Amino acid sequence: MIDERLIRADATKLRELEKVMQEQEHAELLYPIDMKDICIASGAVEGICDAVASLTAGKKVLLVTGPIAFTDNADRKVKERVLELLKTKYDVEWFVVREPDNSIVHCTPENAALVAEHFAGVDCVVGIGGGTMCDLCKYSTYTANHDNPLPLIIVQSALSVNAFSDNSSVMLFSGVKRTVHSRYPNILIIDTDIVAAAPAEMNVSGYGDLIATWTAPVDWYLGNVLGMASGFHTAPSDMIRTQCEELLENSAKLAAGDSKVLYDLANVLTLSGLSMGLADQSSPASGSEHVMSHLIDMASKVRKTGICYHGTQVAVSGINSCIIWDYLLNEFDPKSIDVDKCYPTLEEMEPKVRAAFDWLDDTHSAANECWSDYQKKLTKWHQNKEKFKAFLENFDEFKKTVAPWVKKPEYIAKCMHEANAPCRYSVLNYPVDAKTATWAMNNCHLMRNRFSVIDLLNYCGIWNEEFVQKIIARADSMDAGL
Ligand SMILES: [Zn+2]
């Protein structure tokens, strides 16, 4: 039985949530939420000075934003409004992060260093923006002082991703996306007047990020059963699954701009971020669907295109991952597997990993980075052979456990259509061509250390180009996929 208090979790009642978590069985696996407050309300941004005062008695505030202007639903300029409010009580410096060629700002260590150059004498950092700006503020303050980072308040500009309320940052290192540990914002402000005015495709992106709820936790559980993951606990996902289900049911209302559903999206999305913090890893909300999306991002530089809205790309990949899970639970035959043939050597896999990523840059840095991470996974896979054997023997029990945690891909695609969420890579805000999307699907398991259902199928000799083509065909039957 799932704790009723988890089913109706409320992101704005942090201390209550913390208490519920402490009372769970195996609570020692859950990490504290190191945030002071989360505010989701109309006009929430008006409390910005009180928020700063609750964190510091100091008077110097650094305001960090990207270059793009945006307004709330009363057409007020958001950044200027926050600046005006802060200036009534504080000495404010406003730093705008820009790329040298004025292209879309990326979350790179170089940009984080630019932000950190402004930290001298500052008492509190206020970041306004989307996921990138939030991650830059988290990462820069954390790397400047791990033990005692500057107080940080984030004003969220859209319900675009779940990562506002977690303690990690997605960084671009040498062109490769990596999730690294950073810190929580002390206070997160989600002003519904601001997020309601965000472009619809950005809020649909947050909705899309939540599609991972139906695949990432099962990937994590699978990894745990096979000895390939650590720290698994059901509470982080139990806390969002029911409300996420309600959100799917309300997909058409979200598309119509229903304010109650928008509030619910804000709550569930924030809880999803907290689920990663509670687990102290992104596994509860990032599995095979995210890694497909990461590969498409990695290819964007070579393709000379922008990076799509994270959640919309994740959701299209999420349909693929739902198809893969549906295969595992309904077609996979554990008796057909010859265990001894499931262990490729490092020497066999290295050329495959390099061939998958070498074309991304002249210096081989992406391929080097991926191989260094992948070989850890392969080594671990070899070390846990007994667990794989036990998994095959107890496959029916495994299926029974995970059945309530997955959804049929057809249902997910139907809901996404109702939400006006893009269901095909080719209609994302930077259209992804069939060749790139197919490459990402074929090779996504080769990118990182984290284990997913795709690794399992790959080691079992099932995952190949033909299998990917079958996924593409099934997605196509739902008006989704390429
Ligand atoms: Zn995500």
Side-chain angles (χ1 to χ4, degrees):
M1 274 295 283
I2 302 170
D3 191 325
E4 183 64 26
R5 297 171 301 172
L6 282 179
I7 293 175
R8 301 260 52 105
D10 183 342
T12 66
K13 294 179 177 153
L14 273 179
R15 301 290 83 85
E16 237 171 68
L17 195 60
E18 213 161 45
K19 187 169 169 283
V20 175
M21 289 300 167
Q22 281 160 4
E23 288 167 14
Q24 298 301 305
E25 221 179 301
H26 300 299
E28 72 280 0
L29 289 170
L30 302 169
Y31 286 73
I33 302 166
D34 196 10
M35 288 183 79
K36 190 178 172 74
D37 200 12
I38 294 172
C39 184
I40 308 175
S42 163
V45 85
E46 300 297 316
I48 190 74
C49 287
D50 291 341
V52 177
S54 75
L55 298 176
T56 176
K59 289 291 167 200
K60 176 92 194 273
V61 171
L62 176 67
L63 181 64
V64 182
T65 72
I68 298 164
F70 56 92
T71 55
D72 66 9
N73 60 4
D75 222 21
R76 284 175 299 201
K77 288 183 172 175
V78 173
K79 294 172 194 169
E80 284 76 3
R81 176 68 188 141
V82 174
L83 180 67
E84 181 186 272
L85 286 163
L86 283 169
K87 274 188 165 172
T88 60
K89 291 196 178 149
Y90 295 97
D91 168 19
V92 189
E93 180 192 344
W94 182 3
F95 176 60
V96 181
V97 188
R98 293 175 203 278
E99 294 291 345
D101 59 356
N102 269 331
S103 61
I104 198 157
V105 173
H106 289 306
C107 198
T108 57
E110 295 77 18
N111 281 335
L114 289 178
V115 176
E117 279 175 17
H118 297 260
F119 287 164
V122 165
D123 298 299
C124 183
V125 177
V126 174
I128 310 177
T132 301
M133 214 40 64
C134 176
D135 277 349
L136 265 181
C137 289
K138 290 196 285 190
Y139 183 82
S140 58
T141 49
Y142 179 71
T143 41
N145 188 341
H146 283 223
D147 301 326
N148 193 19
L150 276 168
L152 174 64
I153 300 169
I154 296 292
V155 178
Q156 202 168 318
S157 60
L159 302 175
S160 49
V161 286
N162 60 3
F164 293 91
S165 52
D166 73 8
N167 56 347
S168 59
S169 296
V170 179
M171 304 293 299
L172 209 54
F173 294 107
S174 322
V176 179
K177 274 202 161 187
R178 288 273 178 250
T179 304
V180 294
H181 181 79
S182 59
R183 50 84 59 92
Y184 286 98
N186 299 89
I187 296 176
L188 177 62
I189 296 177
I190 306 177
D191 188 326
T192 51
D193 299 337
I194 295 173
V195 296
E201 52 191 343
M202 291 194 85
N203 293 337
V204 142
S205 174
Y207 167 94
D209 212 6
L210 285 171
I211 297 298
T213 305
W214 310 105
T215 48
V218 271
D219 275 335
W220 188 25
Y221 179 69
L222 174 72
N224 181 66
V225 168
L226 292 169
M228 300 298 292
S230 62
F232 180 82
H233 198 293
T234 54
S237 310
D238 288 345
M239 162 179 96
I240 55 174
R241 207 173 275 118
T242 305
Q243 296 188 74
C244 195
E245 210 158 15
E246 291 166 1
L247 200 62
L248 285 176
E249 286 298 309
N250 285 324
S251 295
K253 284 188 182 171
L254 184 72
D258 184 295
S259 59
K260 163 81 172 65
V261 179
L262 199 72
Y263 182 95
D264 292 342
L265 171 60
N267 184 47
V268 185
L269 202 56
T270 307
L271 287 170
S272 173
L274 293 176
S275 75
M276 298 192 279
L278 282 162
D280 200 36
Q281 53 184 310
S282 61
S283 306
S286 169
S288 49
E289 72 301 317
H290 268 71
V291 82
M292 278 180 218
S293 174
H294 288 340
L295 258 69
I296 293 171
D297 291 348
M298 283 163 63
S300 65
K301 220 175 194 171
V302 186
R303 295 175 57 230
K304 296 193 171 36
T305 170
I307 289 185
C308 297
Y309 290 127
H310 168 79
T312 54
Q313 192 169 280
V314 162
V316 177
S317 307
I319 297 173
N320 292 333
S321 289
C322 285
I323 295 173
I324 300 164
W325 267 101
D326 200 52
Y327 168 84
L328 186 78
L329 298 180
N330 296 297
E331 291 178 57
F332 176 78
D333 176 11
K335 291 191 188 70
S336 70
I337 303 301
D338 180 349
V339 172
D340 291 326
K341 286 196 176 143
C342 298
Y343 291 87
T345 61
L346 289 169
E347 290 71 25
E348 281 169 316
M349 287 310 292
E350 181 169 359
K352 289 186 184 172
V353 175
R354 294 200 175 278
F357 301 107
D358 245 349
W359 64 282
L360 289 172
D361 60 78
D362 299 335
T363 60
H364 311 292
S365 64
N368 288 340
E369 172 77 25
C370 293
W371 172 242
S372 101
D373 222 36
Y374 184 82
Q375 54 181 305
K376 293 178 200 152
K377 176 161 67 179
L378 185 57
T379 304
K380 209 178 208 177
W381 174 245
H382 278 265
Q383 288 163 349
N384 283 283
K385 197 168 178 176
E386 290 309 311
K387 288 199 168 144
F388 178 44
K389 283 184 192 161
F391 166 80
L392 293 174
E393 275 160 29
N394 304 312
F395 189 59
D396 285 340
E397 201 183 306
F398 173 84
K399 284 204 285 191
K400 227 186 262 171
T401 306
V402 302
W405 300 343
V406 295
K407 290 263 178 244
K408 280 280 177 193
E410 284 77 8
Y411 175 71
I412 295 293
K414 174 184 126 350
C415 294
M416 283 172 55
H417 282 300
E418 285 172 6
N420 270 341
C423 290
R424 291 183 181 274
Y425 291 116
S426 57
V427 298
L428 293 175
N429 58 318
Y430 291 104
V432 180
D433 59 86
K435 193 177 158 210
T436 305
T438 312
W439 164 79
M441 290 170 72
N442 274 318
N443 297 294
C444 60
H445 58 292
L446 302 175
M447 180 214 173
R448 68 180 180 182
N449 188 6
R450 184 171 303 166
F451 193 87
S452 83
V453 62
I454 300 177
D455 290 292
L456 175 69
L457 297 184
N458 181 52
Y459 293 141
C460 289
I462 295 166
W463 187 260
N464 54 35
E465 285 179 21
E466 198 188 323
F467 189 85
V468 169
Q469 285 305 323
K470 281 189 197 153
I471 300 171
I472 291 170
R474 184 158 168 202
D476 195 59
S477 73
M478 307 166 206
D479 193 9
L482 298 185

